[in-house]
Structures are given as C-alpha cells and as structure tokens.
Amino acid sequence: MLKFLTALLLGAAALIAQSAPSPKDAALKADLAGQIDGMKKQAQVMVDSVFSFGELGFQEFETSKYLTGILEKEGFHIERGVAGIPTAWVASWGEGKPVISLGSDIDDIPQASQKPAVAWHEPMIEGAPGHGEGHNSGVPLNILAALAVKKTMEREHLKGTIRLWPGVAEEQLGTKAYYVQSGMFKDVDIVLFAHVASNLGVSYGPERGNGLVSVEYMFKGESAHAAGAPWRGRSALDAVELMDIGWNFRREHLRLAQRSHYVITNGGDQPNVVPPNASVWYYFREADYDHIMDLWKIGDNMAKGATLMTDTTYTSRLLGSAWPGYFNQPVAEVMNENIKKVGLPQWSEDDQALAKALQKELKVPVKGLTEKIRELKPPKGDKDDEDDFGSSIGPMGGGSDDIGDISWNVPTVVLHYPSNIPGGPGHNWANAISMATPIAHKGVIAGAKVQAMTVLDFMLHPDLIDKAWDYFRNVQNKDVKYKSFLRPGDKPAIWLNQKIMEQYRPRMKALYYDPSKYGTYLEQLGIKYPTVH
C-alpha cells in the first residue's frame, strides 16, 4: 500500500511538473504581455482603420494594402495574389521550423453600415456594407501577436517561421479551399485562427456547425413580348421559381441537420419582357461531406426538373465551399492555459452601458459584457447526435466557416476573443456597434496576448507539435479523410461584390479613418462614447 501511494504521489508530482511553466517561459510570456500592452495605440488605429474601409468579400483591396504595408515595414516578406485571389496574401518572417500560421478574416457584411458606439440602428451610409461580423479586428490581433513574438525570437535567438494571412470572402466561403489546393499549408506545423466573439475561449473536436457548397444555377430561355406574344417566350425566371418551389417542398424530406437557403440573383429585366436569363444562388449546408454532396445532387435534379417544365436550359457554378471544422485538442489545451493566464479585459462603466443599451434595444436579456471566461469542454459524443432510429443526424444546423478545410489539413484551433457585445443576431448592423470602440480594442489586446503566448509555446516546445500531429493523424483523421469540394476547372469567384463596392466605395472613402488628425475613429465621426438613449 505504501509503495502504491508513493508511486501515485510521484506520478502526480511528475504531471504537475510537466504542466507547470518554467520560470523562463513565465518570464517570456510576461514580457510578451507587456509588449502587447505597449501597442494599445497601434491596436486601436489598426482596428478602427479596417472598420472604416468596410469592404465586402473579394473586394478587400484597401484592407489588404493597409495590413500588408504595416507588415512589410516590420520586415515581413509579402506574397500577394495567393491562389489567384487578388486580395489574398501571405506575410512571412523567420526561418526554419516550426512554421506557425496565424489567420483571420477581413471581409464584411452587405447593408451593415453602422455608426460605432451608437446603441441603435443608425447607418453611416444607408445601404452600404459594414463590419457586422467584426472581421476588422482579427488580423490586427494577429499582427500584434506576431510583432511581439518576432521581437522575442530576435532577442532569444529562436528559430522558426511566423506566417500571417487573411480569410478573404469568408462570408461567401470563397477562398480557404483554394488556399489548401494551392499548397499554402504544406509545410505548416500549427494554424492558430482568430475570430471575434463576446467571450475569450477555444474548443476542440468536431465543430457544432455544418459544412456547405455554395452553388449558383443560371437558367436560359427565350425572350418575347410578355403581353403581345407570351407563347413565343421561354421564361428563365419561371425555371428559377419552379426550382425554388420544388426545393421548398423537398425540405420536408431532408434530414434535420440540413440548412439550405437561396437568393434570386437575376430575376429578369422588366415585366413586359419574358426573362431570357435568370439565376438563383443556393447554400447547401449539411453535417459531413457525403450529405453535402447529396444535397448538391438534389439541387442539380431540381434544376433539371425546372428546365423540363419550362423548355429552358441551365448551367451552374461553384461559388464557395466549406468542410465542417474539426479542431485539435492538444493545441486547444495549450491555448486554454494561456487564456486562463490572460483573462478577460477590465470593462469600464461606459463599456457596460453601451452593451446593456444595445441589448435593451434588441430586446434580449440585458446582461452587459461577459465577465467569466468560457471553459474548455469536450465535444458532445455521437449518441447526442442520434435520432430515435439510432442513426447519426449530425449537428442541428448552424453556420459554416471555411476554416474547416484548413482544419482537415493541418492541426488547427480557433481563438475566440471578446470584441463584440453578447446578444447580437450576427451578420447584422448590431454586431458592428462595438467594433470601433474600446470594447473591440480591449478584446483585441487580450486575444493578442493569448495568441502570442501560444505561438511561443510551440516555438519553445517541439513535443507539443508532435502531440498535435498525433491527435490529428490518429484521432481526427482515423475514420474520415479530407476530399475537396472543388472540381477541376473551378476558380475563385473574384467578381462577387464588385458592383456593390463600385456603388458605395466613393462615398465610403470620405469616411476612412485618418489617425494623423484624430485620436480615434469615434472622434473623427464626432460620436460620444457611449451614445445611448
């Protein structure tokens, strides 16, 4: 019994010693945190500047020029036009292994223009796009983390490579599969992604959301005078509407896991002309590759059926795709330890006042900003996803993110950082209100500290990378293998959103943030913080 207790105590001591950071690690992390605190002004300027650009997917030209300009001045090598995407780039610094890759999205949401810090709907420009998803904050966060780690690596003579890249057109799920296809992650050891949230946290295992394919169906008919000789016409719009009706009837017989939605992108020119061309754009979401492909096949059949009923023809094109995400447990556990070290920001009375005023405006529970860190929890088991007949139905709907494609090719996690206000509907003007305010700035600082400390852990401890890859190969990829949704000939849809930005960009330029004249974007706009009823 004594031997057993002795062995148990020795084992516990070994575990404690293994998990406890060394004094040197602790000192280096404290230094990283201090460096990032010293860059608060830079954080505010970057976050506010990207917010003011407000660019939609594939049109993030000002954003990419601005961010790569900062990195280039800091000694990073910039590769532009990655994977044939004009606004995509990779910034690299350092040499050799390990290669740690930091990513975050940069595009925004249509018709989400909103004055920051104003706790009700008040667009800066009516109908214009805006950062109603908070994507103005993630790459600035990664830049702060990278600059702090770079300085530490230079001082400590550490080998390794840091890479930064943007998620272009994430709202269209338009690029990350092409990044993978282009070989962008072939030599990468770990990917640390960052996405805005209202809390500080990380997760692992299968994501509780769906993957998808984004497909546009384009129908072709024959024009005619809609009153004088309608029998001579073949309406492409009729085909679109019949496809949509058929799909909506079919929903009754689709799995609960699916989420599908569409918009008519071309409904014809004018009522007195039978539309010779019309198109409809679908997102087909499901829990896994095979079921997503099943939805795509059903969609194709619906389009064929619509052409038979209308004597039209159709073609289709893939506009985007995303695998359901699967995130790495060893990497998440390393990051979570740093989350506990950093903790949530200290919110001011003004911060809380803005949050509560918006929540009241949205008629959601008035709780203010989050003050307790989200715990790292294991994913739910497969039994939670089974129906009454014992078959897995996957997650019950939910959004998609093409970081999923990357997560199936290299060990990946997503850092969620607290720059947004709880209770927003997402993809909405309300989610833009905090994104050029002290709430966003503080959340970015906290997230940058976590990101930098996590990068340092993998730079200093190669065994952690080995553990991440062991989990990736023997747990995540044990039964499922990645197959891209991309087909030969598919190309990034770089024309998307071009006309919208051409319409609004001239007026938006007048509102770009000028940090040489104004301390903050709120000061430039003449907005009091917070502005509440």
Side-chain angles (χ1 to χ4, degrees):
M1 185 67 176
L2 183 61
K3 288 182 179 179
F4 172 76
L5 289 172
T6 302
L8 190 64
L9 289 169
L10 288 172
L15 284 172
I16 292 169
Q18 186 179 8
S19 61
S22 70
K24 182 178 180 181
D25 284 12
L28 290 175
K29 288 184 178 182
D31 178 69
L32 287 175
Q35 287 187 58
I36 291 168
D37 279 332
M39 291 188 279
K40 286 181 179 178
K41 180 60 181 176
Q42 187 172 355
Q44 173 260 310
V45 170
M46 288 192 292
V47 169
D48 289 4
S49 295
V50 179
F51 182 91
S52 74
F53 298 145
E55 295 174 301
L56 292 167
F58 289 114
Q59 308 304 317
E60 311 98 335
F61 293 102
E62 294 285 355
T63 300
S64 289
K65 179 183 176 182
Y66 173 75
L67 296 171
T68 55
I70 293 168
L71 289 162
E72 213 157 24
K73 287 178 182 177
E74 295 290 345
F76 282 74
H77 170 74
I78 311 296
E79 179 187 355
R80 294 179 171 86
V82 173
I85 301 160
T87 54
W89 46 270
V90 177
S92 303
W93 180 86
E95 59 180 3
K97 289 283 194 173
V99 179
I100 309 299
S101 179
L102 309 180
S104 194
D105 301 319
I106 57 172
D107 59 327
D108 71 0
I109 302 293
Q111 300 191 49
S113 176
Q114 171 65 31
K115 290 183 178 179
V118 176
W120 56 83
H121 189 202
E122 191 168 328
M124 290 194 289
I125 299 173
E126 186 69 43
H131 274 289
E133 177 78 355
H135 286 175
N136 60 302
S137 54
V139 174
L141 180 158
N142 285 338
I143 290 175
L144 297 177
L147 294 183
V149 172
K150 174 178 177 285
K151 185 175 180 180
T152 299
M153 291 175 68
E154 289 172 328
R155 187 184 66 231
E156 301 294 323
H157 307 291
L158 299 176
K159 289 282 187 181
T161 304
I162 307 171
R163 290 197 188 138
L164 290 83
W165 50 273
V168 167
E170 186 275 334
E171 299 302 343
Q172 284 78 43
L173 292 308
T175 57
K176 296 188 185 79
Y178 290 102
Y179 288 174
V180 171
Q181 185 185 68
S182 72
M184 191 166 142
F185 301 98
K186 280 186 175 178
D187 63 341
V188 171
D189 293 290
I190 301 291
V191 170
L192 304 178
F193 198 71
H195 196 282
V196 65
S198 58
N199 202 344
L200 192 59
V202 67
S203 61
Y204 67 88
E207 186 179 37
R208 306 294 292 177
N210 285 330
L212 66 73
V213 287
S214 166
V215 186
E216 186 176 26
Y217 293 91
M218 295 155 290
F219 293 87
K220 186 171 179 60
E222 183 67 39
S223 66
H225 194 299
W231 54 87
R232 297 182 63 178
R234 299 289 181 266
S235 174
L237 179 58
D238 286 354
V240 164
E241 292 188 291
L242 286 166
M243 178 181 178
D244 295 344
I245 290 168
W247 186 266
N248 287 326
F249 273 99
R250 185 62 181 267
R251 287 180 198 273
E252 180 183 357
H253 307 289
L254 297 175
R255 296 189 341 146
L256 297 178
Q258 78 87 26
R259 290 290 185 274
S260 54
H261 11 264
Y262 59 86
V263 294
I264 296 175
T265 51
N266 176 14
D269 299 304
Q270 58 191 58
N272 66 333
V273 179
V274 174
N277 298 288
S279 55
V280 59
W281 180 8
Y282 273 84
Y283 276 13
F284 298 128
R285 301 186 198 254
E286 247 283 9
D288 54 52
Y289 177 89
D290 290 334
H291 286 101
I292 294 166
M293 293 299 291
D294 287 344
L295 288 185
W296 194 352
K297 182 179 179 181
I298 294 169
D300 287 350
N301 287 338
M302 291 286 176
K304 291 174 187 175
T307 63
L308 292 174
M309 287 185 281
T310 56
D311 285 336
T312 58
T313 59
Y314 89 93
T315 57
S316 68
R317 56 186 177 185
L318 184 71
L319 299 185
S321 65
W323 262 66
Y326 197 117
F327 302 112
N328 193 274
Q329 181 175 351
V331 179
E333 289 171 345
V334 171
M335 179 173 279
N336 192 58
E337 290 303 309
N338 293 316
I339 286 171
K340 291 190 287 187
K341 287 183 181 72
V342 171
L344 286 165
Q346 293 295 313
W347 306 120
S348 70
E349 290 183 8
D350 286 342
D351 298 335
Q352 292 287 11
L354 178 63
K356 291 177 181 179
L358 176 61
Q359 290 162 348
K360 185 177 181 180
E361 179 76 12
L362 297 175
K363 298 179 174 59
V364 299
V366 180
K367 298 180 179 179
L369 296 168
T370 305
E371 295 186 320
K372 183 179 180 182
I373 289 173
R374 191 179 74 190
E375 294 180 16
L376 180 64
K377 295 180 180 179
K380 292 183 178 180
D382 291 339
K383 290 182 179 179
D384 294 319
D385 294 332
E386 290 182 359
D387 61 22
D388 292 339
F389 301 97
S391 61
S392 174
I393 59 171
M396 298 296 285
S400 310
D401 192 324
D402 51 357
I403 189 62
D405 288 77
I406 295 171
S407 75
W408 284 96
N409 285 274
V410 61
T412 301
V413 298
V414 177
L415 167 65
H416 292 100
Y417 56 95
S419 287
N420 220 307
I421 295 171
H427 292 182
N428 184 269
W429 56 266
N431 294 78
I433 284 174
S434 68
M435 293 313 305
T437 74
I439 296 172
H441 307 148
K442 293 174 184 178
V444 163
I445 290 295
K449 291 177 183 178
V450 173
Q451 197 82 307
M453 292 176 184
T454 306
V455 173
L456 185 68
D457 281 327
F458 289 106
M459 291 288 183
L460 295 175
H461 303 288
D463 59 303
L464 296 177
I465 295 174
D466 294 338
K467 290 177 182 178
W469 278 96
D470 180 68
Y471 179 91
F472 178 81
R473 294 186 179 107
N474 299 314
V475 178
Q476 177 179 345
N477 282 273
K478 182 180 179 182
D479 300 314
V480 178
K481 302 300 179 185
Y482 176 79
K483 295 175 285 187
S484 178
F485 290 112
L486 302 181
R487 305 160 301 182
D490 285 331
K491 301 290 184 184
I494 60 175
W495 65 88
L496 286 176
N497 298 314
Q498 182 177 350
K499 290 183 179 179
I500 299 174
M501 289 307 302
E502 286 175 352
Q503 177 184 355
Y504 288 105
R505 194 187 297 275
R507 293 170 63 193
M508 295 170 69
K509 279 186 176 180
L511 296 176
Y512 287 175
Y513 176 41
D514 185 354
S516 68
K517 294 182 179 179
Y518 302 97
T520 67
Y521 194 42
L522 295 182
E523 180 186 338
Q524 178 172 327
L525 296 174
I527 296 173
K528 177 187 175 183
Y529 183 72
T531 297
V532 301
H533 287 302

